[in-house]
Amino acid sequence: HTHTRHTHDMDFLRRFTKSELDDEEEKELNEEVLALNPFNKVQILKGHDTEVRFLRTIDESRILSVGMTEMCVWGTRTAELIRVLEGHTRAITDVMVYHKRLMSCSFDGSIKLWDPDMGTCLQTVENIGSQLVVMKPLFGDYFFLGGSSVLVLSIDLDIIASLPEVNGGQSTITDLICVSKSTAVAYSGTDKHLSSFTMERDFGEMGGIMEGDATTLGTIFEKKLKQGHSDRISRLTKLNNLIFATGARDGSIFIWSSKSLTCLHTIKYSTEFSNHQHSSSSPRSIPLGPILPLRDDKLFVVALGKHIRVFNSNDGKVVGDVFNAHQQSIRCMALVHRGAILVTCADTIRLWCLTSVLEGSTNISHTNKIKDIVRTLHSNNKEGKIEQWREDFVTNIPPKVFQLSERKKKKTTSELVCMGEIALHEREILDCSSAGPYMFATGSIDQTVCLWQNGAFKSMNDNLTISRHLQDQ
């Protein structure tokens, strides 16, 4: 029975690519394409007593899930809990992975260095700030730490430079990125303008501290940038080594030069999205979601409420979009399958094929869709070989079939192809992350982590039968 169906599917594909299908057969294929969910196996990981607030990838075989004060290290090849890291007394605000070691900061005013292999805390520095919010690598063995103060620390947690108060003690940093070897930019929850933080200290030509200067504490200078948004900043993302992006609550996006810290492009609020978001004909603000750089460093994707839009960072032009990608606002996004598939999380999890956008194609015919998907899912089994999960813990999730409305107007941009929809968490998803080339993970308020495995990489010919087999179960 399986062989007969498989032969039928391959004949169906050959006839389709030669445009020999009638209307009913083309409609059937469209439904098959939209229902194709390559990530059809899931492990439900339970190790937290609090909501799973964010995720980090340690390496291709381990991920980290972060609760309120505890962190869990999971093996992705076996879906087993390896270690539980505990020690913070208040909420963990950020975790940074560095050379397979972990650094965590917390509202308890401490920063900790962890060995995830042994599950031990190697070092703790306390009382370095009342509000520690975000950590970002600077260069070499140094990183920025921001909150109510700004610090530069070494990997050994030695303080290299310090600014005791942000904005004279009036602000606490919400997010921060490093734009050069000595400068970071950041914003607080009420800012319409970015602030730059520049460290003055001689690190020498090779990036190390100059001899005889190890005990001298460097100075960090704060400066408010002149250009700014008309509404409060809500997003800050590094797109590549040359540019970064900010987004405001009015939906506007600025593209900045990392070198000059000046705005290069301004992407204004879109009334087209507003009219899709609201029944009112007057433009109204929509929530700006995550901003994510694509594997082509000239492109980035933005969640605007329920919608997805892909921009070219060189000129700010739209190169791809999906209206009403979800029924609710998108909370988080991640790239999987080596950047070829976009995962978006809102009321459910949806998967989007990016090949047409990455290749710059504006032809959204079904022929291109099926070719894109088959080409994207086809992979060498030797590259992504994954150890077998324990079958008694594996759940097969039948993807829901849903139809995206086709707009009649001529397309000048690529439309992302939806490959499937999956839903398992009982409550809202707070974060998602790649967990290796062929996996991704989601963390939820329901205190669980779901680890999704791509079951569709055995061979190219098997891809067409997977979702149909699941639907028959």
Side-chain angles (χ1 to χ4, degrees):
H1 175 73
T2 302
H3 175 74
T4 302
R5 172 177 292 166
H6 177 72
T7 303
H8 167 74
D9 284 340
M10 294 312 299
D11 177 66
F12 191 73
L13 177 60
R14 283 192 294 269
R15 292 170 57 212
F16 173 76
T17 56
K18 294 179 181 179
S19 301
E20 296 176 357
L21 301 183
D22 57 32
D23 291 342
E24 286 298 319
E25 288 178 318
E26 186 170 351
K27 181 179 179 181
E28 179 186 348
L29 181 60
N30 182 44
E31 292 176 351
E32 288 293 326
V33 171
L34 289 173
L36 179 60
N37 170 24
F39 293 87
N40 53 36
K41 290 185 177 180
V42 63
Q43 289 274 18
I44 303 175
L45 310 180
K46 297 182 178 180
H48 290 275
D49 295 325
T50 60
E51 62 187 32
V52 180
R53 296 163 52 240
F54 51 93
L55 304 165
R56 295 289 185 268
T57 301
I58 300 175
D59 50 38
E60 289 196 355
S61 62
R62 294 179 298 175
I63 61 169
L64 180 79
S65 58
V66 181
M68 189 62 66
T69 59
E70 80 288 347
M71 301 181 288
C72 294
V73 180
W74 304 93
T76 57
R77 298 183 185 276
T78 58
E80 293 179 343
L81 178 61
I82 300 175
R83 302 290 182 191
V84 177
L85 310 179
E86 296 179 301
H88 286 292
T89 57
R90 295 186 62 190
I92 298 169
T93 53
D94 199 6
V95 176
M96 189 173 73
V97 180
Y98 184 84
H99 287 226
K100 297 186 179 182
R101 288 188 175 184
L102 307 175
M103 284 175 284
S104 61
C105 60
S106 167
F107 280 148
D108 62 15
S110 72
I111 181 170
K112 293 179 180 290
L113 178 65
W114 304 86
D115 181 350
D117 295 325
M118 302 300 296
T120 55
C121 179
L122 302 176
Q123 190 173 353
T124 300
V125 178
E126 297 180 327
N127 302 319
I128 57 174
S130 58
Q131 298 285 331
L132 304 180
V133 177
V134 59
M135 296 184 293
K136 292 293 172 64
L138 180 58
F139 72 95
D141 292 335
Y142 306 98
F143 64 96
F144 259 104
L145 172 64
S148 56
S149 58
V150 178
L151 304 168
V152 173
L153 295 93
S154 70
I155 189 64
D156 297 320
L157 302 189
D158 295 323
I159 298 176
I160 307 301
S162 173
L163 176 67
E165 294 181 333
V166 175
N167 192 23
Q170 301 300 310
S171 301
T172 298
I173 288 174
T174 301
D175 200 3
L176 173 150
I177 61 171
C178 297
V179 295
S180 73
K181 287 187 175 182
S182 60
T183 301
V185 293
Y187 73 94
S188 70
T190 59
D191 282 342
K192 298 179 182 179
H193 295 254
L194 289 172
S195 294
S196 67
F197 297 89
T198 302
M199 174 183 60
E200 287 200 356
R201 179 159 186 176
D202 193 351
F203 278 80
E205 294 182 358
M206 301 304 293
I209 300 175
M210 296 293 288
E211 185 177 355
D213 193 36
T215 60
T216 304
L217 191 64
T219 303
I220 298 176
F221 294 95
E222 178 182 3
K223 181 181 178 181
K224 188 78 71 173
L225 302 189
K226 293 181 179 180
Q227 294 172 291
H229 290 269
S230 57
D231 203 346
R232 287 182 292 175
I233 298 172
S234 59
R235 299 287 173 178
L236 173 62
T237 302
K238 187 173 183 177
L239 300 179
N240 55 48
N241 290 332
L242 300 177
I243 56 175
F244 63 94
T246 55
R249 297 193 178 189
D250 61 3
S252 64
I253 300 169
F254 286 7
I255 308 298
W256 300 79
S257 166
S258 298
K259 183 177 181 180
S260 64
L261 299 184
T262 56
C263 181
L264 303 175
H265 306 293
T266 300
I267 301 171
K268 293 295 185 180
Y269 173 74
S270 172
T271 57
E272 184 181 14
F273 272 127
S274 177
N275 291 335
H276 276 75
Q277 185 85 4
H278 302 286
S279 58
S280 170
S281 59
S282 60
R284 293 160 65 183
S285 178
I286 59 176
L288 178 68
I291 301 174
L292 186 67
L294 300 184
R295 71 183 185 193
D296 180 340
D297 60 8
K298 296 187 295 294
L299 304 179
F300 64 96
V301 60
V302 180
L304 290 166
K306 307 174 185 178
H307 318 299
I308 303 170
R309 178 154 276 187
V310 181
F311 294 96
N312 188 319
S313 60
N314 289 338
D315 52 20
K317 291 183 178 180
V318 179
V319 296
D321 56 19
V322 179
F323 286 80
N324 294 320
H326 284 270
Q327 295 181 359
Q328 298 177 9
S329 293
I330 298 169
R331 300 186 193 93
C332 52
M333 302 189 296
L335 294 175
V336 296
H337 210 320
R338 306 193 186 282
I341 298 175
L342 174 69
V343 178
T344 57
C345 300
D347 46 317
T348 58
I349 303 167
R350 291 186 177 179
L351 308 171
W352 306 89
C353 179
L354 295 174
T355 50
S356 59
V357 172
L358 295 171
E359 294 173 4
S361 171
T362 59
N363 185 339
I364 61 167
S365 69
H366 291 302
T367 303
N368 284 345
K369 287 183 180 181
I370 191 68
K371 285 182 178 179
D372 283 345
I373 290 176
V374 171
R375 182 167 59 251
T376 301
L377 292 179
H378 179 44
S379 59
N380 189 331
N381 206 17
K382 294 180 181 178
E383 293 183 10
K385 192 172 183 179
I386 298 173
E387 295 175 16
Q388 184 64 42
W389 283 348
R390 291 173 57 186
E391 288 297 330
D392 52 335
F393 289 111
V394 174
T395 305
N396 287 320
I397 304 298
K400 300 177 182 177
V401 179
F402 63 99
Q403 179 68 48
L404 295 178
S405 60
E406 296 282 353
R407 283 168 286 165
K408 300 299 182 181
K409 66 179 182 179
K410 184 178 180 180
K411 290 286 292 183
T412 58
T413 62
S414 300
E415 185 164 342
L416 280 66
V417 182
C418 186
M419 301 168 61
E421 179 183 45
I422 45 184
L424 186 62
H425 287 289
E426 296 178 356
R427 298 186 64 185
E428 294 88 349
I429 297 170
L430 298 181
D431 197 14
C432 61
S433 174
S434 171
Y438 305 100
M439 293 185 185
F440 70 93
T442 52
S444 169
I445 294 179
D446 65 15
Q447 303 179 8
T448 65
V449 176
C450 283
L451 186 61
W452 305 90
Q453 179 186 3
N454 181 349
F457 60 77
K458 293 182 180 178
S459 70
M460 181 171 65
N461 294 343
D462 289 341
N463 291 332
L464 291 177
T465 64
I466 287 175
S467 64
R468 193 175 280 180
H469 287 168
L470 289 175
Q471 288 174 341
D472 287 347
Q473 291 181 355

